[in-house]
Amino acid sequence: MLLAIVYSCVGGGAALYALYRWIIPNLLQYHTGALLFWHDDLVPWVRDTLYGSTRPERILAEVKSKATRGDARSVVDTIDQYCRHQEWAMNVGDEKGTILDSIVCEVKPRAMLELGTYCGYSAVRIASLLPPNSRLITMEFNPVFAAIARQVIAWAGVEDKVVLIEGPSGDWIPKMKKEFGLTSFDLVFLDHWKDCYLPDTKLMEECGLLRTGSILVADNVICPGAPDYLEYVRGSPRYESKYFRSHLEYTRVEDGIEKSVFLG
């Protein structure tokens, strides 16, 4: 009798684990809203409750535990492995990350802006590819995320190329030139709130932060999506825009990156 109870408990636990790790995520692969709710709301809440930590804190712990200090590629690979196999997070990810890498290497920006730092994954990825004497200014609204990102960036050894600022993008963009002594950005990576993509782009235009040839790279333009931004850059004569089809980070849901060249 006792043995039967033990077997039942073990079997039930294994079934629940399989349901949580594989069955439900696979069933939700092509249902975008449900997938995001599962990965970005429900599962983090359960894990936060069980472990007494937040997802950014767990990502940082994984980096400090498994990534080689001073090795940016090791940090990026560690986060990718963790987010693909343990706990999903909305980084640009490994698949779209290669697209971003190719654009950074093509442009070789001296001055670059990232809107939306989160845990510092893309800042590390970008900074590791920047030429000497280049600078990445990355902006994060959430001070808790910013504190984690600073530690991840430092662990990767790229803090000399990264300036992390905290606060709303709408407050910072108008004072960028004065605060940082720059004329314009060669490359801008948009990866913050999707409804801010369009107003922030227009604000950068108004503030003269985009020169002829400046490039905007926008993540998650399909999932969760930024339809007003896409309509603008694809329809405006001020931009030449191209879509790079891919998938939402660490899933099979369609997503992509929009690369838009500012024509002046």
Side-chain angles (χ1 to χ4, degrees), residues 199-212:
D200 283 350
T201 294
K202 290 183 175 180
L203 187 57
M204 286 187 285
E205 292 173 2
E206 293 169 11
C207 295
L209 290 170
L210 303 180
R211 58 166 176 79
T212 300

Side-chain angles (χ1 to χ4, degrees), residues 183-200:
T183 55
S184 62
F185 288 109
D186 304 311
L187 184 60
V188 178
F189 181 46
L190 297 93
D191 196 20
H192 57 330
W193 295 106
K194 311 315 163 192
D195 57 1
C196 290
Y197 281 19
L198 181 55
D200 283 350

